[in-house]
C-alpha cells in the first residue's frame, strides 16, 4: 500500500541550502573614492582648473611672505576670513601694482572651488556666507578704491574694425592658392561664422566636424555636424538652456576668398593619416595639382591661440587683435544688422542676453569719430543745427529685415530748424513702417 503513495519525506537541509551566487558579472560599474573624485575633477574645463590653481598659488605665495600658514584646507572659516581680508588688501602682481577687478574676483572664486573640490569637499560659499562678511567687505572696498584711482577699468577684447576686415579679406595671407593662405582663410571663416572662442575646442575639431548641405532654396552652406562642450554649455545640471551653436551656417558666395569654397578645398588637401582638422601646412607646394598640402601632424593649442595675432601682423592691420576679437566681431555685426538678442545668444552660446551688453553698447571707431565730428561741427560752424554729412551704407539684404536708403542731399525743415534727414536716420533699419511724403503746400 505504501508503494501506491509518493514519498513526502523532504530533505530539509538540502531545501534550505544557500543558493549559488551567479558567476556572471554585473552590468554596473564599481568605482572607489579616488575614481569618483577623478570623475568630478575631470568634468571641469582646463581653463577653470588653471584659474583655481593660479588663485591658490598666489594666496600661498602671499601667505608665505606674510608668515601665515599656507594650508588653506586646514583653516576654519574664521581663520580663512581673516586671511582673505588681508589678502584682498595686500595682493600685488609681479610689477607691484594692483590686480584687476576680474582677477581679484577670480581669486575668491578659485579659492572657493579649491575648498569644495576633492579632497576637502567643504561645501562653503565665500561670496554669500555671513562668516566671510569682513573679507567680502574688504574686497568691495578694494574694488571701489581702484575705481576711484582709475585702475578698475575692464578691458574688453575689441572687435575688428570694418576697414581691417576688408584689408584682411583682400590680403594675400588669406589666399587659398597656397597651403598657409588656405589654412588662414579656413581658420578665420570658421571662427567668425561659428562664433568660436579664442582657443576653446579648436584643437578637438575633426575632419568630420563639418557637413555641406543645401537649404530649401537650393543654396549651398557648411554647418557643424555635432554639438560640442563649451564654456557656457558643459552639459551639467545647471546647463538647462538650449544651445543652437551647431546650427550656424556659412553660405557659398561669389567672392574669390569665399570661406565655403576654401573649406571644400581645405578638406580635399588635408593629410588623410592625421585625424585633426587643423594641420601644419607644407612649407613648399607644387601648386593646385599636388594632392596633399598638409603634413601628418596637428597644429598645437598655442599656435591656434595666436592665429589672429599672426594675421594682424601679416595683413598689416591697424592693431594687433586677439582670437576673441573675431568672436566679438561676429556678435557686433549681428547686433548692428538688427538680429534679436535671443537669436544671437542661441548661436554664440551665451547663457543670457545680458552677456551681450559689452558687445552691443561698444561704439565702433567710425561711431566715435562721428560723435567727435558732431561736437566739432557745432563748435566750428556758424549754423549749430547743421549736422555733418554721413556716408550712407548699402541697404542690408538680410531676409526678414526691411531696409530703406535715405538720400544724403536732402535737408528738411521742422519748426524753422534745418535738419539733415540722412544724419537723423543714419545706421537705422526701419521695418514694417510705411512712410508717406507729401509736398508742402505753396
Amino acid at each position: 500500500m505504501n508503494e501506491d503513495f509518493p514519498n513526502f519525506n523532504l530533505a530539509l537541509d538540502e531545501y534550505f541550502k544557500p543558493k549559488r551566487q551567479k558567476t556572471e558579472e554585473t552590468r554596473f560599474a564599481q568605482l572607489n573614492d579616488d575614481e569618483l573624485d577623478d570623475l568630478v575633477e575631470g568634468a571641469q574645463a582646463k581653463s577653470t582648473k588653471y584659474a583655481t590653481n593660479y588663485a591658490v598659488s598666489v594666496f600661498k605665495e602671499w601667505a608665505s611672505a606674510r608668515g601665515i600658514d599656507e594650508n588653506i584646507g586646514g583653516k576654519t572659516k574664521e581663520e580663512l576670513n581673516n586671511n582673505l581680508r588681508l589678502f584682498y588688501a595686500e595682493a600685488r602682481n609681479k610689477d607691484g601694482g594692483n590686480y584687476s577687478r576680474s582677477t581679484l574676483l577670480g581669486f575668491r572664486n578659485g579659492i572657493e572651488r579649491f575648498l569644495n573640490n576633492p579632497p576637502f569637499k567643504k561645501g562653503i560659499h565665500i561670496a554669500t556666507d555671513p562668516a566671510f562678511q569682513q573679507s567680502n567687505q574688504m574686497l568691495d572696498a578694494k574694488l571701489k578704491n581702484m575705481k576711484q584711482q582709475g585702475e578698475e577699468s575692464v578691458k574688453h577684447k575689441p572687435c575688428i574694425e570694418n576697414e581691417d576686415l576688408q584689408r584682411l579679406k583682400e590680403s594675400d595671407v588669406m589666399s587659398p592658392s597656397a597651403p598657409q593662405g588656405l589654412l588662414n582663410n579656413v581658420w578665420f571663416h570658421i571662427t567668425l561664422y561659428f562664433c568660436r572662442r579664442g582657443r576653446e575646442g579648436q584643437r578637438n575639431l575633426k575632419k568630420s566636424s563639418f557637413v555641406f548641405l543645401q537649404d530649401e532654396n537650393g543654396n549651398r552652406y557648411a554647418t557643424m555636424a555635432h554639438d560640442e562642450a563649451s564654456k557656457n554649455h558643459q552639459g551639467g545640471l545647471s546647463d538647462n538652456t538650449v544651445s543652437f551653436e551647431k546650427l550656424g551656417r556659412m553660405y557659398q558666395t561669389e567672392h574669390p576668398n569665399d570661406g565655403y569654397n576654401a573649406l571644400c578645398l581645405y578638406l580635399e588637401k588635408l593629410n588623410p593619416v592625421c585625424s585633426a582638422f587643423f594641420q601644419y601646412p607644407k612649407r613648399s607646394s607644387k601648386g593646385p595639382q599636388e594632392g596633399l598640402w598638409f603634413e601628418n601632424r596637428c597644429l598645437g593649442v598655442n599656435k591656434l591661440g595666436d592665429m589672429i595675432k599672426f594675421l594682424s601682423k601679416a595683413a598689416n592691420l591697424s592693431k594687433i587683435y586677439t582670437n576673441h576679437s573675431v568672436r566679438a566681431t561676429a556678435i557686433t555685426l549681428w547686433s548692428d544688422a538688427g538680429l534679436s538678442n535671443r537669436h544671437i545668444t542661441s548661436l554664440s552660446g551665451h547663457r543670457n542676453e545680458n552677456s551681450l551688453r559689452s558687445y552691443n553698447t561698444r561704439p565702433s571707431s567710425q561711431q566715435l569719430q562721428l560723435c567727435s565730428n558732431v561736437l566739432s561741427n557745432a563748435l566750428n560752424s556758424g549754423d549749430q543745427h547743421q549736422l555733418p554729412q554721413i556716408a550712407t551704407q548699402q541697404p542690408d539684404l538680410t531676409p526678414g529685415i526691411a531696409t530703406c536708403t535715405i538720400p544724403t542731399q536732402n535737408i528738411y525743415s521742422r519748426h524753422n530748424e534745418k535738419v539733415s534727414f540722412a544724419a537723423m536716420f543714419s545706421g537705422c533699419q526701419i521695418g514694417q513702417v510705411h512712410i508717406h511724403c507729401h509736398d508742402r503746400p505753396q
Side-chain angles (χ1 to χ4, degrees), residues 332-353:
T332 301
L333 291 175
W334 288 337
S335 177
D336 292 345
L339 272 70
S340 65
N341 284 347
R342 64 186 180 90
H343 287 147
I344 295 177
T345 54
S346 66
L347 293 175
S348 67
H350 288 94
R351 289 193 175 187
N352 57 72
E353 298 179 9

mmCIF file with all atom_site columns, all heavy atoms in Angstrom, residues 332-353:
data_model
loop_
_atom_site.group_PDB
_atom_site.id
_atom_site.type_symbol
_atom_site.label_atom_id
_atom_site.label_alt_id
_atom_site.label_comp_id
_atom_site.label_asym_id
_atom_site.label_entity_id
_atom_site.label_seq_id
_atom_site.pdbx_PDB_ins_code
_atom_site.Cartn_x
_atom_site.Cartn_y
_atom_site.Cartn_z
_atom_site.occupancy
_atom_site.B_iso_or_equiv
_atom_site.pdbx_formal_charge
_atom_site.auth_seq_id
_atom_site.auth_comp_id
_atom_site.auth_asym_id
_atom_site.auth_atom_id
_atom_site.pdbx_PDB_model_num
ATOM 1   N N   . THR A 1 332 ? 28.981 91.629 -32.789 1.00 0.00 ? 332 THR A N   1
ATOM 2   C CA  . THR A 1 332 ? 28.730 93.044 -33.052 1.00 0.00 ? 332 THR A CA  1
ATOM 3   C C   . THR A 1 332 ? 28.060 93.241 -34.404 1.00 0.00 ? 332 THR A C   1
ATOM 4   O O   . THR A 1 332 ? 27.115 94.031 -34.542 1.00 0.00 ? 332 THR A O   1
ATOM 5   C CB  . THR A 1 332 ? 30.052 93.831 -32.997 1.00 0.00 ? 332 THR A CB  1
ATOM 6   O OG1 . THR A 1 332 ? 30.657 93.661 -31.705 1.00 0.00 ? 332 THR A OG1 1
ATOM 7   C CG2 . THR A 1 332 ? 29.805 95.311 -33.237 1.00 0.00 ? 332 THR A CG2 1
ATOM 8   N N   . LEU A 1 333 ? 28.540 92.535 -35.421 1.00 0.00 ? 333 LEU A N   1
ATOM 9   C CA  . LEU A 1 333 ? 27.930 92.664 -36.753 1.00 0.00 ? 333 LEU A CA  1
ATOM 10  C C   . LEU A 1 333 ? 26.487 92.170 -36.751 1.00 0.00 ? 333 LEU A C   1
ATOM 11  O O   . LEU A 1 333 ? 25.608 92.769 -37.381 1.00 0.00 ? 333 LEU A O   1
ATOM 12  C CB  . LEU A 1 333 ? 28.756 91.888 -37.776 1.00 0.00 ? 333 LEU A CB  1
ATOM 13  C CG  . LEU A 1 333 ? 30.146 92.458 -38.099 1.00 0.00 ? 333 LEU A CG  1
ATOM 14  C CD1 . LEU A 1 333 ? 30.905 91.533 -39.037 1.00 0.00 ? 333 LEU A CD1 1
ATOM 15  C CD2 . LEU A 1 333 ? 30.020 93.848 -38.707 1.00 0.00 ? 333 LEU A CD2 1
ATOM 16  N N   . TRP A 1 334 ? 26.217 91.066 -36.062 1.00 0.00 ? 334 TRP A N   1
ATOM 17  C CA  . TRP A 1 334 ? 24.838 90.571 -35.954 1.00 0.00 ? 334 TRP A CA  1
ATOM 18  C C   . TRP A 1 334 ? 23.945 91.591 -35.261 1.00 0.00 ? 334 TRP A C   1
ATOM 19  O O   . TRP A 1 334 ? 22.820 91.834 -35.681 1.00 0.00 ? 334 TRP A O   1
ATOM 20  C CB  . TRP A 1 334 ? 24.820 89.244 -35.183 1.00 0.00 ? 334 TRP A CB  1
ATOM 21  C CG  . TRP A 1 334 ? 25.366 88.087 -35.947 1.00 0.00 ? 334 TRP A CG  1
ATOM 22  C CD1 . TRP A 1 334 ? 25.460 87.968 -37.306 1.00 0.00 ? 334 TRP A CD1 1
ATOM 23  C CD2 . TRP A 1 334 ? 25.896 86.875 -35.405 1.00 0.00 ? 334 TRP A CD2 1
ATOM 24  N NE1 . TRP A 1 334 ? 26.019 86.754 -37.642 1.00 0.00 ? 334 TRP A NE1 1
ATOM 25  C CE2 . TRP A 1 334 ? 26.296 86.064 -36.511 1.00 0.00 ? 334 TRP A CE2 1
ATOM 26  C CE3 . TRP A 1 334 ? 26.073 86.388 -34.122 1.00 0.00 ? 334 TRP A CE3 1
ATOM 27  C CZ2 . TRP A 1 334 ? 26.850 84.801 -36.336 1.00 0.00 ? 334 TRP A CZ2 1
ATOM 28  C CZ3 . TRP A 1 334 ? 26.637 85.131 -33.947 1.00 0.00 ? 334 TRP A CZ3 1
ATOM 29  C CH2 . TRP A 1 334 ? 27.025 84.345 -35.039 1.00 0.00 ? 334 TRP A CH2 1
ATOM 30  N N   . SER A 1 335 ? 24.464 92.171 -34.184 1.00 0.00 ? 335 SER A N   1
ATOM 31  C CA  . SER A 1 335 ? 23.671 93.149 -33.436 1.00 0.00 ? 335 SER A CA  1
ATOM 32  C C   . SER A 1 335 ? 23.404 94.391 -34.273 1.00 0.00 ? 335 SER A C   1
ATOM 33  O O   . SER A 1 335 ? 22.282 94.901 -34.307 1.00 0.00 ? 335 SER A O   1
ATOM 34  C CB  . SER A 1 335 ? 24.404 93.524 -32.142 1.00 0.00 ? 335 SER A CB  1
ATOM 35  O OG  . SER A 1 335 ? 23.693 94.512 -31.421 1.00 0.00 ? 335 SER A OG  1
ATOM 36  N N   . ASP A 1 336 ? 24.442 94.897 -34.976 1.00 0.00 ? 336 ASP A N   1
ATOM 37  C CA  . ASP A 1 336 ? 24.266 96.083 -35.811 1.00 0.00 ? 336 ASP A CA  1
ATOM 38  C C   . ASP A 1 336 ? 23.313 95.828 -36.975 1.00 0.00 ? 336 ASP A C   1
ATOM 39  O O   . ASP A 1 336 ? 22.681 96.752 -37.481 1.00 0.00 ? 336 ASP A O   1
ATOM 40  C CB  . ASP A 1 336 ? 25.624 96.547 -36.351 1.00 0.00 ? 336 ASP A CB  1
ATOM 41  C CG  . ASP A 1 336 ? 26.529 97.097 -35.258 1.00 0.00 ? 336 ASP A CG  1
ATOM 42  O OD1 . ASP A 1 336 ? 26.009 97.381 -34.149 1.00 0.00 ? 336 ASP A OD1 1
ATOM 43  O OD2 . ASP A 1 336 ? 27.743 97.237 -35.495 1.00 0.00 ? 336 ASP A OD2 1
ATOM 44  N N   . ALA A 1 337 ? 23.225 94.570 -37.411 1.00 0.00 ? 337 ALA A N   1
ATOM 45  C CA  . ALA A 1 337 ? 22.334 94.231 -38.520 1.00 0.00 ? 337 ALA A CA  1
ATOM 46  C C   . ALA A 1 337 ? 20.886 94.080 -38.079 1.00 0.00 ? 337 ALA A C   1
ATOM 47  O O   . ALA A 1 337 ? 20.007 93.888 -38.917 1.00 0.00 ? 337 ALA A O   1
ATOM 48  C CB  . ALA A 1 337 ? 22.802 92.942 -39.198 1.00 0.00 ? 337 ALA A CB  1
ATOM 49  N N   . GLY A 1 338 ? 20.626 94.153 -36.774 1.00 0.00 ? 338 GLY A N   1
ATOM 50  C CA  . GLY A 1 338 ? 19.252 94.093 -36.287 1.00 0.00 ? 338 GLY A CA  1
ATOM 51  C C   . GLY A 1 338 ? 18.793 92.730 -35.819 1.00 0.00 ? 338 GLY A C   1
ATOM 52  O O   . GLY A 1 338 ? 17.603 92.560 -35.534 1.00 0.00 ? 338 GLY A O   1
ATOM 53  N N   . LEU A 1 339 ? 19.682 91.743 -35.731 1.00 0.00 ? 339 LEU A N   1
ATOM 54  C CA  . LEU A 1 339 ? 19.266 90.439 -35.220 1.00 0.00 ? 339 LEU A CA  1
ATOM 55  C C   . LEU A 1 339 ? 18.905 90.564 -33.749 1.00 0.00 ? 339 LEU A C   1
ATOM 56  O O   . LEU A 1 339 ? 19.532 91.310 -33.002 1.00 0.00 ? 339 LEU A O   1
ATOM 57  C CB  . LEU A 1 339 ? 20.385 89.408 -35.386 1.00 0.00 ? 339 LEU A CB  1
ATOM 58  C CG  . LEU A 1 339 ? 20.433 88.645 -36.724 1.00 0.00 ? 339 LEU A CG  1
ATOM 59  C CD1 . LEU A 1 339 ? 20.851 89.576 -37.844 1.00 0.00 ? 339 LEU A CD1 1
ATOM 60  C CD2 . LEU A 1 339 ? 21.384 87.466 -36.635 1.00 0.00 ? 339 LEU A CD2 1
ATOM 61  N N   . SER A 1 340 ? 17.885 89.845 -33.329 1.00 0.00 ? 340 SER A N   1
ATOM 62  C CA  . SER A 1 340 ? 17.449 89.906 -31.941 1.00 0.00 ? 340 SER A CA  1
ATOM 63  C C   . SER A 1 340 ? 18.483 89.258 -31.026 1.00 0.00 ? 340 SER A C   1
ATOM 64  O O   . SER A 1 340 ? 19.226 88.361 -31.430 1.00 0.00 ? 340 SER A O   1
ATOM 65  C CB  . SER A 1 340 ? 16.099 89.202 -31.773 1.00 0.00 ? 340 SER A CB  1
ATOM 66  O OG  . SER A 1 340 ? 16.231 87.813 -32.032 1.00 0.00 ? 340 SER A OG  1
ATOM 67  N N   . ASN A 1 341 ? 18.509 89.726 -29.780 1.00 0.00 ? 341 ASN A N   1
ATOM 68  C CA  . ASN A 1 341 ? 19.480 89.189 -28.822 1.00 0.00 ? 341 ASN A CA  1
ATOM 69  C C   . ASN A 1 341 ? 19.271 87.698 -28.573 1.00 0.00 ? 341 ASN A C   1
ATOM 70  O O   . ASN A 1 341 ? 20.221 86.949 -28.373 1.00 0.00 ? 341 ASN A O   1
ATOM 71  C CB  . ASN A 1 341 ? 19.387 89.952 -27.507 1.00 0.00 ? 341 ASN A CB  1
ATOM 72  C CG  . ASN A 1 341 ? 20.038 91.323 -27.597 1.00 0.00 ? 341 ASN A CG  1
ATOM 73  O OD1 . ASN A 1 341 ? 20.765 91.626 -28.533 1.00 0.00 ? 341 ASN A OD1 1
ATOM 74  N ND2 . ASN A 1 341 ? 19.759 92.172 -26.621 1.00 0.00 ? 341 ASN A ND2 1
ATOM 75  N N   . ARG A 1 342 ? 18.019 87.246 -28.564 1.00 0.00 ? 342 ARG A N   1
ATOM 76  C CA  . ARG A 1 342 ? 17.768 85.836 -28.292 1.00 0.00 ? 342 ARG A CA  1
ATOM 77  C C   . ARG A 1 342 ? 18.304 84.952 -29.415 1.00 0.00 ? 342 ARG A C   1
ATOM 78  O O   . ARG A 1 342 ? 18.741 83.824 -29.166 1.00 0.00 ? 342 ARG A O   1
ATOM 79  C CB  . ARG A 1 342 ? 16.273 85.587 -28.063 1.00 0.00 ? 342 ARG A CB  1
ATOM 80  C CG  . ARG A 1 342 ? 15.380 85.859 -29.255 1.00 0.00 ? 342 ARG A CG  1
ATOM 81  C CD  . ARG A 1 342 ? 13.907 85.725 -28.878 1.00 0.00 ? 342 ARG A CD  1
ATOM 82  N NE  . ARG A 1 342 ? 13.021 85.970 -30.007 1.00 0.00 ? 342 ARG A NE  1
ATOM 83  C CZ  . ARG A 1 342 ? 12.592 85.048 -30.836 1.00 0.00 ? 342 ARG A CZ  1
ATOM 84  N NH1 . ARG A 1 342 ? 12.979 83.783 -30.659 1.00 0.00 ? 342 ARG A NH1 1
ATOM 85  N NH2 . ARG A 1 342 ? 11.786 85.326 -31.840 1.00 0.00 ? 342 ARG A NH2 1
ATOM 86  N N   . HIS A 1 343 ? 18.284 85.446 -30.641 1.00 0.00 ? 343 HIS A N   1
ATOM 87  C CA  . HIS A 1 343 ? 18.842 84.669 -31.735 1.00 0.00 ? 343 HIS A CA  1
ATOM 88  C C   . HIS A 1 343 ? 20.372 84.699 -31.705 1.00 0.00 ? 343 HIS A C   1
ATOM 89  O O   . HIS A 1 343 ? 21.030 83.701 -32.017 1.00 0.00 ? 343 HIS A O   1
ATOM 90  C CB  . HIS A 1 343 ? 18.344 85.208 -33.076 1.00 0.00 ? 343 HIS A CB  1
ATOM 91  C CG  . HIS A 1 343 ? 16.915 84.879 -33.351 1.00 0.00 ? 343 HIS A CG  1
ATOM 92  N ND1 . HIS A 1 343 ? 16.070 85.720 -34.056 1.00 0.00 ? 343 HIS A ND1 1
ATOM 93  C CD2 . HIS A 1 343 ? 16.159 83.820 -32.984 1.00 0.00 ? 343 HIS A CD2 1
ATOM 94  C CE1 . HIS A 1 343 ? 14.865 85.168 -34.133 1.00 0.00 ? 343 HIS A CE1 1
ATOM 95  N NE2 . HIS A 1 343 ? 14.907 84.014 -33.488 1.00 0.00 ? 343 HIS A NE2 1
ATOM 96  N N   . ILE A 1 344 ? 20.933 85.835 -31.308 1.00 0.00 ? 344 ILE A N   1
ATOM 97  C CA  . ILE A 1 344 ? 22.384 85.936 -31.217 1.00 0.00 ? 344 ILE A CA  1
ATOM 98  C C   . ILE A 1 344 ? 22.918 85.017 -30.124 1.00 0.00 ? 344 ILE A C   1
ATOM 99  O O   . ILE A 1 344 ? 23.901 84.294 -30.316 1.00 0.00 ? 344 ILE A O   1
ATOM 100 C CB  . ILE A 1 344 ? 22.812 87.398 -30.948 1.00 0.00 ? 344 ILE A CB  1
ATOM 101 C CG1 . ILE A 1 344 ? 22.448 88.274 -32.149 1.00 0.00 ? 344 ILE A CG1 1
ATOM 102 C CG2 . ILE A 1 344 ? 24.309 87.479 -30.676 1.00 0.00 ? 344 ILE A CG2 1
ATOM 103 C CD1 . ILE A 1 344 ? 22.761 89.740 -31.944 1.00 0.00 ? 344 ILE A CD1 1
ATOM 104 N N   . THR A 1 345 ? 22.267 85.021 -28.950 1.00 0.00 ? 345 THR A N   1
ATOM 105 C CA  . THR A 1 345 ? 22.734 84.174 -27.848 1.00 0.00 ? 345 THR A CA  1
ATOM 106 C C   . THR A 1 345 ? 22.615 82.700 -28.188 1.00 0.00 ? 345 THR A C   1
ATOM 107 O O   . THR A 1 345 ? 23.428 81.887 -27.740 1.00 0.00 ? 345 THR A O   1
ATOM 108 C CB  . THR A 1 345 ? 21.937 84.466 -26.572 1.00 0.00 ? 345 THR A CB  1
ATOM 109 O OG1 . THR A 1 345 ? 20.529 84.329 -26.835 1.00 0.00 ? 345 THR A OG1 1
ATOM 110 C CG2 . THR A 1 345 ? 22.212 85.860 -26.054 1.00 0.00 ? 345 THR A CG2 1
ATOM 111 N N   . SER A 1 346 ? 21.616 82.332 -28.974 1.00 0.00 ? 346 SER A N   1
ATOM 112 C CA  . SER A 1 346 ? 21.465 80.924 -29.328 1.00 0.00 ? 346 SER A CA  1
ATOM 113 C C   . SER A 1 346 ? 22.612 80.450 -30.213 1.00 0.00 ? 346 SER A C   1
ATOM 114 O O   . SER A 1 346 ? 23.016 79.285 -30.153 1.00 0.00 ? 346 SER A O   1
ATOM 115 C CB  . SER A 1 346 ? 20.123 80.695 -30.044 1.00 0.00 ? 346 SER A CB  1
ATOM 116 O OG  . SER A 1 346 ? 20.100 81.358 -31.306 1.00 0.00 ? 346 SER A OG  1
ATOM 117 N N   . LEU A 1 347 ? 23.164 81.351 -31.024 1.00 0.00 ? 347 LEU A N   1
ATOM 118 C CA  . LEU A 1 347 ? 24.267 80.983 -31.900 1.00 0.00 ? 347 LEU A CA  1
ATOM 119 C C   . LEU A 1 347 ? 25.621 81.185 -31.242 1.00 0.00 ? 347 LEU A C   1
ATOM 120 O O   . LEU A 1 347 ? 26.564 80.438 -31.510 1.00 0.00 ? 347 LEU A O   1
ATOM 121 C CB  . LEU A 1 347 ? 24.205 81.812 -33.192 1.00 0.00 ? 347 LEU A CB  1
ATOM 122 C CG  . LEU A 1 347 ? 23.006 81.543 -34.113 1.00 0.00 ? 347 LEU A CG  1
ATOM 123 C CD1 . LEU A 1 347 ? 23.014 82.515 -35.281 1.00 0.00 ? 347 LEU A CD1 1
ATOM 124 C CD2 . LEU A 1 347 ? 23.027 80.111 -34.619 1.00 0.00 ? 347 LEU A CD2 1
ATOM 125 N N   . SER A 1 348 ? 25.719 82.201 -30.385 1.00 0.00 ? 348 SER A N   1
ATOM 126 C CA  . SER A 1 348 ? 27.002 82.488 -29.736 1.00 0.00 ? 348 SER A CA  1
ATOM 127 C C   . SER A 1 348 ? 27.242 81.601 -28.522 1.00 0.00 ? 348 SER A C   1
ATOM 128 O O   . SER A 1 348 ? 28.383 81.455 -28.077 1.00 0.00 ? 348 SER A O   1
ATOM 129 C CB  . SER A 1 348 ? 27.060 83.959 -29.314 1.00 0.00 ? 348 SER A CB  1
ATOM 130 O OG  . SER A 1 348 ? 26.117 84.232 -28.288 1.00 0.00 ? 348 SER A OG  1
ATOM 131 N N   . GLY A 1 349 ? 26.161 81.028 -27.948 1.00 0.00 ? 349 GLY A N   1
ATOM 132 C CA  . GLY A 1 349 ? 26.319 80.164 -26.792 1.00 0.00 ? 349 GLY A CA  1
ATOM 133 C C   . GLY A 1 349 ? 26.240 80.871 -25.462 1.00 0.00 ? 349 GLY A C   1
ATOM 134 O O   . GLY A 1 349 ? 26.432 80.243 -24.420 1.00 0.00 ? 349 GLY A O   1
ATOM 135 N N   . HIS A 1 350 ? 25.961 82.198 -25.450 1.00 0.00 ? 350 HIS A N   1
ATOM 136 C CA  . HIS A 1 350 ? 25.804 82.906 -24.186 1.00 0.00 ? 350 HIS A CA  1
ATOM 137 C C   . HIS A 1 350 ? 24.551 82.409 -23.467 1.00 0.00 ? 350 HIS A C   1
ATOM 138 O O   . HIS A 1 350 ? 23.551 82.073 -24.098 1.00 0.00 ? 350 HIS A O   1
ATOM 139 C CB  . HIS A 1 350 ? 25.682 84.411 -24.418 1.00 0.00 ? 350 HIS A CB  1
ATOM 140 C CG  . HIS A 1 350 ? 26.972 85.051 -24.829 1.00 0.00 ? 350 HIS A CG  1
ATOM 141 N ND1 . HIS A 1 350 ? 27.313 85.242 -26.146 1.00 0.00 ? 350 HIS A ND1 1
ATOM 142 C CD2 . HIS A 1 350 ? 28.005 85.537 -24.103 1.00 0.00 ? 350 HIS A CD2 1
ATOM 143 C CE1 . HIS A 1 350 ? 28.500 85.828 -26.207 1.00 0.00 ? 350 HIS A CE1 1
ATOM 144 N NE2 . HIS A 1 350 ? 28.942 86.015 -24.983 1.00 0.00 ? 350 HIS A NE2 1
ATOM 145 N N   . ARG A 1 351 ? 24.625 82.376 -22.145 1.00 0.00 ? 351 ARG A N   1
ATOM 146 C CA  . ARG A 1 351 ? 23.507 81.848 -21.369 1.00 0.00 ? 351 ARG A CA  1
ATOM 147 C C   . ARG A 1 351 ? 22.360 82.837 -21.256 1.00 0.00 ? 351 ARG A C   1
ATOM 148 O O   . ARG A 1 351 ? 21.209 82.446 -21.116 1.00 0.00 ? 351 ARG A O   1
ATOM 149 C CB  . ARG A 1 351 ? 23.981 81.456 -19.971 1.00 0.00 ? 351 ARG A CB  1
ATOM 150 C CG  . ARG A 1 351 ? 24.867 80.209 -19.962 1.00 0.00 ? 351 ARG A CG  1
ATOM 151 C CD  . ARG A 1 351 ? 25.039 79.683 -18.568 1.00 0.00 ? 351 ARG A CD  1
ATOM 152 N NE  . ARG A 1 351 ? 25.786 78.436 -18.551 1.00 0.00 ? 351 ARG A NE  1
ATOM 153 C CZ  . ARG A 1 351 ? 25.953 77.695 -17.471 1.00 0.00 ? 351 ARG A CZ  1
ATOM 154 N NH1 . ARG A 1 351 ? 25.442 78.079 -16.317 1.00 0.00 ? 351 ARG A NH1 1
ATOM 155 N NH2 . ARG A 1 351 ? 26.653 76.575 -17.523 1.00 0.00 ? 351 ARG A NH2 1
ATOM 156 N N   . ASN A 1 352 ? 22.644 84.110 -21.255 1.00 0.00 ? 352 ASN A N   1
ATOM 157 C CA  . ASN A 1 352 ? 21.571 85.104 -21.169 1.00 0.00 ? 352 ASN A CA  1
ATOM 158 C C   . ASN A 1 352 ? 21.924 86.316 -22.014 1.00 0.00 ? 352 ASN A C   1
ATOM 159 O O   . ASN A 1 352 ? 23.089 86.535 -22.373 1.00 0.00 ? 352 ASN A O   1
ATOM 160 C CB  . ASN A 1 352 ? 21.319 85.514 -19.701 1.00 0.00 ? 352 ASN A CB  1
ATOM 161 C CG  . ASN A 1 352 ? 22.570 86.052 -19.030 1.00 0.00 ? 352 ASN A CG  1
ATOM 162 O OD1 . ASN A 1 352 ? 23.010 87.156 -19.334 1.00 0.00 ? 352 ASN A OD1 1
ATOM 163 N ND2 . ASN A 1 352 ? 23.150 85.281 -18.120 1.00 0.00 ? 352 ASN A ND2 1
ATOM 164 N N   . GLU A 1 353 ? 20.928 87.114 -22.290 1.00 0.00 ? 353 GLU A N   1
ATOM 165 C CA  . GLU A 1 353 ? 21.102 88.251 -23.184 1.00 0.00 ? 353 GLU A CA  1
ATOM 166 C C   . GLU A 1 353 ? 21.930 89.361 -22.558 1.00 0.00 ? 353 GLU A C   1
ATOM 167 O O   . GLU A 1 353 ? 22.497 90.196 -23.276 1.00 0.00 ? 353 GLU A O   1
ATOM 168 C CB  . GLU A 1 353 ? 19.731 88.785 -23.615 1.00 0.00 ? 353 GLU A CB  1
ATOM 169 C CG  . GLU A 1 353 ? 18.908 87.765 -24.395 1.00 0.00 ? 353 GLU A CG  1
ATOM 170 C CD  . GLU A 1 353 ? 17.541 88.291 -24.800 1.00 0.00 ? 353 GLU A CD  1
ATOM 171 O OE1 . GLU A 1 353 ? 17.310 89.510 -24.618 1.00 0.00 ? 353 GLU A OE1 1
ATOM 172 O OE2 . GLU A 1 353 ? 16.716 87.497 -25.289 1.00 0.00 ? 353 GLU A OE2 1
#
